[in-house]
């Protein structure tokens, strides 16, 4: 009888514990914004569980028009975070059914790419908005910070064209693109690239009306949502073609 009572008590205790565990859900608690040489970082602090990278996607991964969005999908997820505005970026979280959406607004053409990821202990969503204009010295990245997936080892800029080469590691089908951007951050030359045995080389033609600073970049994007996954960039001087 005593043994039966003990078992019954354990069953009741487990029954009470299960709903509590099942009701645990992620909550976005705070938005933080900070400036870095190559990008502005937006961080969303999360509590109540583990944030998984495959729960995050971007319905609008192109911030060049001044707007972008990142979505976190998880049953029961909610937000108590207030909107934030700093470093020229306004960020707020919108509640959706089974999801939250981080909406980002900035000046048009200030940012060229959106990159997102998650960090743990503590849990947080990290969104980097990459600056469009030619990189400063501290923002020069001849080797991609995303684990060295791309690099620019050599480059030569001529009137109306750029020649460059470098390395590639682990990209899907070893394919990516090479862009030339003008001083305002607009793309003035672009070409697809396929690496062979971990190396690549490419010539890209560009169009500018006057001599100016520019950017040489090689980039790759997510197959899932088109957000940035890899970038190497260096400054250059662009000269009009004769």
């Amino acid at each position: 009888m005593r043994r039966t009572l003990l078992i019954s008590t354990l069953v009741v205790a487990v029954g009470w514990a299960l709903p509590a565990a099942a009701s645990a859900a992620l909550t976005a608690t705070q938005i933080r914004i900070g400036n870095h040489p190559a990008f502005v970082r937006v961080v969303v602090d999360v509590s109540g569980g583990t944030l998984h990278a495959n729960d995050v996607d971007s319905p609008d991964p192109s911030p060049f028009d001044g707007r972008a969005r990142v979505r976190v999908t998880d049953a029961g997820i909610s937000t108590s975070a207030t909107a934030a505005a700093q470093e020229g970026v306004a960020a707020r979280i919108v509640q959706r059914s089974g999801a939250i959406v981080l909406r980002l607004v900035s000046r048009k053409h200030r940012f060229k790419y959106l990159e997102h990821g998650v960090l743990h202990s503590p849990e947080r969503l990290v969104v980097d908005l990459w600056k469009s204009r030619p990189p400063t010295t501290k923002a020069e990245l001849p080797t991609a910070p995303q684990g060295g997936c791309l690099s620019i080892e050599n480059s030569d800029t001529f009137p109306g064209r750029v020649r460059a080469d470098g390395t590639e590691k682990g990209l899907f089908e070893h394919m990516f693109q090479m862009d030339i951007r003008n001083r305002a951050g607009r793309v003035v030359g672009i070409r697809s690239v396929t690496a062979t045995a971990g190396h690549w080389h490419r010539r890209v033609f560009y169009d500018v009306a006057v001599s100016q600073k520019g950017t040489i970049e090689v980039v790759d994007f997510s197959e899932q949502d088109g957000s940035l996954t890899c970038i190497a960039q260096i400054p250059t001087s662009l000269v009009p073609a004769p």
Side-chain angles (χ1 to χ4, degrees):
M1 179 70 177
R2 186 171 181 177
R3 182 180 178 184
T4 303
L5 180 61
L6 178 60
I7 292 174
S8 299
T9 302
L10 288 173
V11 169
V12 171
V14 170
W16 279 102
L18 285 176
S23 64
L26 296 174
T27 301
T29 59
Q30 185 181 18
I31 301 173
R32 297 179 284 121
I33 303 173
N35 186 45
H36 295 257
F39 51 80
V40 170
R41 173 164 288 183
V42 180
V43 177
V44 177
D45 295 320
V46 177
S47 66
T50 301
L51 187 61
H52 300 285
N54 58 6
D55 293 333
V56 181
D57 73 304
S58 177
D60 180 5
S62 179
F64 199 64
D65 64 356
R67 297 179 182 274
R69 291 176 291 155
V70 177
R71 176 173 54 205
V72 182
T73 303
D74 188 77
I77 191 170
S78 63
T79 179
S80 61
T82 58
Q86 198 172 347
E87 304 297 344
V89 176
R92 66 186 180 95
I93 296 176
V94 178
Q95 182 73 57
R96 295 285 185 257
S97 177
I100 58 172
V101 178
L102 174 66
R103 293 183 176 269
L104 303 167
V105 178
S106 60
R107 188 183 75 247
K108 285 185 178 181
H109 309 152
R110 184 184 177 199
F111 300 110
K112 56 185 178 181
Y113 301 125
L114 178 150
E115 179 182 10
H116 60 74
V118 301
L119 295 175
H120 306 289
S121 300
E123 302 300 303
R124 55 210 186 275
L125 168 68
V126 177
V127 178
D128 292 336
L129 297 170
W130 284 77
K131 298 173 183 177
S132 299
R133 291 182 178 274
T136 61
T137 301
K138 291 184 177 180
E140 290 183 34
L141 297 166
T143 299
Q146 299 89 356
C149 42
L150 285 170
S151 76
I152 303 171
E153 292 189 335
N154 303 287
S155 68
D156 294 295
T157 301
F158 306 95
R161 62 187 174 93
V162 170
R163 184 176 60 203
D165 63 73
T167 62
E168 172 272 335
K169 181 176 68 177
L171 298 185
F172 179 68
E173 296 186 345
H174 311 291
M175 297 178 65
F176 52 98
Q177 73 183 42
M178 177 175 164
D179 299 334
I180 309 301
R181 291 181 181 267
N182 65 13
R183 62 188 174 194
R186 292 181 178 273
V187 174
V188 292
I190 184 172
R191 197 172 178 189
S192 61
V193 187
T194 301
T196 302
H199 291 84
W200 64 270
H201 61 88
R202 185 55 94 199
R203 181 175 61 178
V204 177
F205 293 93
Y206 65 85
D207 184 21
V208 294
V210 297
S211 298
Q212 59 191 276
K213 292 181 179 180
T215 307
I216 302 171
E217 62 183 33
V218 283
V219 293
D220 190 44
F221 305 100
S222 166
E223 296 294 322
Q224 176 191 11
D225 62 8
S227 61
L228 181 72
T229 57
C230 185
I231 181 171
Q233 62 178 17
I234 59 174
T236 193
S237 296
L238 305 178
V239 179

